[in-house]
Amino acid sequence: MDQMKALAILIMAAMVWSCSQESPNADVQEAHLKTQQLSIKEQTPNLLYDQGIKGLYHGIFVAGYGQERGKLWINVSNDGTYGAEVIMVDGSVLDYALAPIQDGDIKSQFHFVSESQSSFTLDVSHPNKPAIINAELGGNLFFGVVAKKTTTLSPMSFTGTFEETGNPSYAGTWNFIADGTNPDPNGSGTNYEGLTEVIVTLNGNMYTDVGPFEDTTVGCLGEAIPTLATHATSTEGAITDQTTNFTPASQTTWNIEFTKNSAGSAIYYDSNCSGINVASGGTFTTTWQSETHIGIIQVDQ
């Protein structure tokens, strides 16, 4: 019995010693886990990856049919991990993991999958123009557009919708990206970013306008290059009198006469430079072959 007691004591001592040796590793693992759990949206770009394909990407994730839409953030080993997240306009969040690498996979493509029945591929074969391909959600066609986020570039995006007045079947998403390459273009000393892309989806197609965008003149606001700001289309960027040929057979004129006052309230400016609190929005007129569509654009806040 004495021998058995001695053996039991030795085993207990070995277990205590083993746990004491493992605790530092456990602390390291817990710290690493916390790092991995940091939202991609909240991460700071790694200076080492300002050039090349690794790092952070930001943009939009929108339906090819209908008006589902959200904003997209992608992490390509910015912190040593891979992942993506989409925040839909209704507040729901889609989390993505990098799919296992298969033999024959293209090294410049990263395939992300979500338990929410969604997936997409980030193609960085042209690092200066990353592309989202093969995007889907719940078996439905989606499109994505992203820009690289670096220590010197801070892309901004806004999602929105459009609908022809009196014809809800002619409707889709209407979205904006400022990729950060034209900061404060009007020299006002603000964090406004020059508009670089307008993305419209309709009936399974994506149409883009990459500018240059016309300077806009809005009464008392004067003339300014269209911009986006952190929380809304900016005062400078009351984007008016724009003409876009989304296809060679069409011409669209559009206006986003939305801005914010110093208190952060959404307003329109009338011809007397008086502000009226309204929801964000604008108008469009599209002539497509022999058809004309006139309707409303709504920008998400």
Side-chain angles (χ1 to χ4, degrees):
M1 292 294 294
D2 291 341
Q3 289 181 342
M4 292 181 64
K5 288 182 179 180
L7 180 60
I9 292 172
L10 286 173
I11 292 174
M12 289 294 293
M15 291 176 64
V16 171
W17 180 85
S18 175
C19 290
S20 67
Q21 295 301 306
E22 290 176 356
S23 59
N25 290 334
D27 292 341
V28 170
Q29 291 173 356
E30 182 179 1
H32 181 62
L33 181 61
K34 289 180 178 179
T35 300
Q36 288 181 311
Q37 291 174 340
L38 182 64
S39 168
I40 300 172
K41 180 181 177 181
E42 298 170 350
Q43 286 193 33
T44 300
N46 189 327
L47 177 62
L48 295 175
Y49 305 137
D50 275 0
Q51 304 296 324
I53 63 177
K54 289 185 178 181
L56 300 174
Y57 297 82
H58 170 64
I60 61 167
F61 191 72
V62 295
Y65 296 92
Q67 295 181 325
E68 285 187 278
R69 60 205 182 276
K71 294 187 178 183
L72 169 64
W73 288 266
I74 306 173
N75 174 13
V76 179
S77 194
N78 182 66
D79 61 349
T81 66
Y82 295 77
E85 62 184 25
V86 169
I87 301 180
M88 301 297 286
V89 70
D90 63 3
S92 59
V93 179
L94 310 177
D95 291 314
Y96 298 78
L98 183 67
I101 304 298
Q102 304 292 329
D103 290 341
D105 282 352
I106 301 174
K107 293 183 179 179
S108 59
Q109 293 185 351
F110 300 89
H111 186 57
F112 293 91
V113 295
S114 169
E115 293 182 354
S116 303
Q117 295 183 319
S118 180
S119 63
F120 67 87
T121 298
L122 172 67
D123 186 336
V124 287
S125 54
H126 301 285
N128 294 328
K129 188 59 178 177
I132 301 296
I133 59 176
N134 302 325
E136 59 91 21
L137 172 59
N140 298 315
L141 174 68
F142 264 66
F143 293 105
V145 177
V146 294
K148 180 79 177 287
K149 183 177 181 180
T150 71
T151 56
T152 59
L153 300 177
S154 299
M156 296 182 185
S157 69
F158 285 91
T159 56
T161 61
F162 73 93
E163 182 177 310
E164 181 179 10
T165 302
N167 180 19
S169 65
Y170 189 89
T173 73
W174 192 296
N175 315 276
F176 304 86
I177 287 182
D179 65 9
T181 58
N182 191 17
D184 191 20
N186 298 302
S188 58
T190 66
N191 66 341
Y192 298 159
E193 298 282 352
L195 178 67
T196 54
E197 194 161 2
V198 173
I199 303 101
V200 171
T201 59
L202 172 67
N203 296 333
N205 295 294
M206 182 175 73
Y207 306 98
T208 61
D209 182 3
V210 294
F213 298 96
E214 294 87 350
D215 289 358
T216 186
T217 302
V218 188
C220 54
L221 297 179
E223 186 174 281
I225 296 172
T227 61
L228 300 183
T230 304
H231 300 295
T233 308
S234 69
T235 299
E236 293 180 336
I239 307 169
T240 63
D241 302 323
Q242 302 297 310
T243 299
T244 294
N245 293 332
F246 286 118
T247 73
S250 71
Q251 185 178 79
T252 299
T253 58
W254 55 276
N255 301 273
I256 303 293
E257 298 185 43
F258 170 76
T259 183
K260 283 200 169 189
N261 62 17
S262 58
S265 300
I267 58 175
Y268 276 111
Y269 282 102
D270 62 20
S271 59
N272 296 318
C273 298
S274 298
I276 304 173
N277 288 333
V278 296
S280 60
T283 61
F284 73 91
T285 300
T286 293
T287 301
W288 201 303
Q289 297 178 344
S290 60
E291 296 182 354
T292 298
H293 305 273
I294 300 173
I296 299 297
I297 303 167
Q298 292 290 329
V299 182
D300 301 320
Q301 294 304 289

